[in-house]
Amino acid sequence: MKPKRRYYSLIDKVYQIENLYEAWLSVKKNQGSGGIDGVSIAMFEKNVSMNLRELRRLLQQGRYKPDPVRRHHIEKENGKLRPLGIPTIRDRVCQQAVRQIIEPIFEQDFYAYSFGFRAGYSAHQAINTIRRAKRGGYEYVVDLDIMSFFDEIPHELLMEKVHERITDGKVLTLIRGWLTAGVMEDDQFHETEIGSPQGGNLSPLLANLYLNHFDWVMKEKGFAVVRYADDAVILCKTKEQAEEAYLEAKTILENELRLRMHPE
């Protein structure tokens, strides 16, 4: 692989007022409840130009400090609870502003059959890809389930992957700050030593970045992977190939990426 171009100076693009405003519009469109500071979308909007100028000033001066996320549980289809971490509106705007600048950089490296949380990609495309493969003779499927993926991404390994492309220390500090900002649950503060909170604007991009290694290594070994966020299937033509694919995937996910595969 050719060496990747690295980006040294991005923070000034992040805090450009146009970029912050675009980030605010995106956060507003997605709605959702406020974070631990009790500020709602409507409240933020009342003084939006002042809020964005203040955000810009803190980012410019390198004085921005992320807040802990508010823990909120939603029920999954199987009745289990999925923990969400809801950042403050200010943090959501800031994460979105960072995402708008760094996403196009990482997008160049992403695997073509990764369909989750990417502009222009959808679950329908993933399903159609699988249908085409089945018609092409891929009769066996390895269905991967990563346990508590968002909660267990190791920070150091994730930051190494960010650093392959981004060397702007201020942007790296921001990303690390969000990863380690901690969680407030029932007025109790909990440290976050691993994981990326599900609910942050940056989490989907970081998730794709982290699993991109898996996609490419499997491809190099000759396996056809279709991935949607932390759900992936490996399409195989024979049962033997499927068994081999399962072992390869397990090795990459557990040994190289330090994640846990569901035993079922």
Side-chain angles (χ1 to χ4, degrees), residues 3-174:
K4 296 175 176 180
R5 178 177 165 200
R6 301 178 89 176
Y7 293 79
Y8 294 90
S9 150
L10 294 171
I11 192 73
D12 53 331
K13 296 179 181 64
V14 170
Y15 64 62
Q16 257 185 338
I17 206 74
E18 297 79 14
N19 186 51
L20 291 176
Y21 189 68
E22 192 185 323
W24 153 247
L25 290 178
S26 171
V27 168
K28 182 183 158 184
K29 193 175 112 204
N30 287 332
Q31 286 298 319
S33 53
I36 60 162
D37 59 1
V39 173
S40 66
I41 296 237
M43 287 155 79
F44 192 94
E45 187 168 27
K46 273 205 182 92
N47 300 316
V48 70
S49 61
M50 189 185 82
N51 285 331
L52 295 180
R53 284 202 306 273
E54 170 70 357
L55 186 51
R56 181 181 179 199
R57 186 178 67 81
L58 291 171
L59 288 168
Q60 246 172 333
Q61 296 171 353
R63 288 176 46 220
Y64 182 87
K65 289 278 180 287
D67 291 303
V69 296
R70 182 168 67 81
R71 174 63 83 220
H72 176 68
H73 292 92
I74 55 167
E75 203 170 325
K76 298 202 292 194
E77 284 164 18
N78 59 11
K80 288 191 180 151
L81 291 177
R82 165 175 295 169
L84 289 186
I86 300 175
T88 58
I89 308 296
R90 186 187 78 146
D91 272 324
R92 295 218 284 273
V93 171
C94 198
Q95 285 191 28
Q96 181 63 25
V98 169
R99 180 177 176 167
Q100 285 166 189
I101 301 301
I102 68 173
E103 192 157 40
I105 295 170
F106 290 116
E107 199 48 58
Q108 307 166 51
D109 305 332
F110 285 165
Y111 175 71
Y113 299 107
S114 158
F115 293 98
F117 305 122
R118 294 175 69 190
Y121 288 79
S122 68
H124 288 296
Q125 289 171 316
I127 291 163
N128 289 337
T129 305
I130 294 167
R131 285 202 180 115
R132 274 202 309 277
K134 189 172 185 306
R135 287 199 294 273
Y138 288 85
E139 292 286 325
Y140 290 86
V141 169
V142 181
D143 186 4
L144 295 185
D145 184 7
I146 302 168
M147 289 171 72
S148 325
F149 169 66
F150 282 93
D151 298 327
E152 296 195 2
I153 302 177
H155 291 168
E156 288 313 314
L157 289 178
L158 174 58
M159 290 307 296
E160 274 169 30
K161 296 190 186 316
V162 175
H163 200 253
E164 283 173 16
R165 278 290 202 175
I166 291 173
T167 47
D168 182 325
K170 287 181 173 160
V171 172
L172 293 171
T173 300
L174 277 176

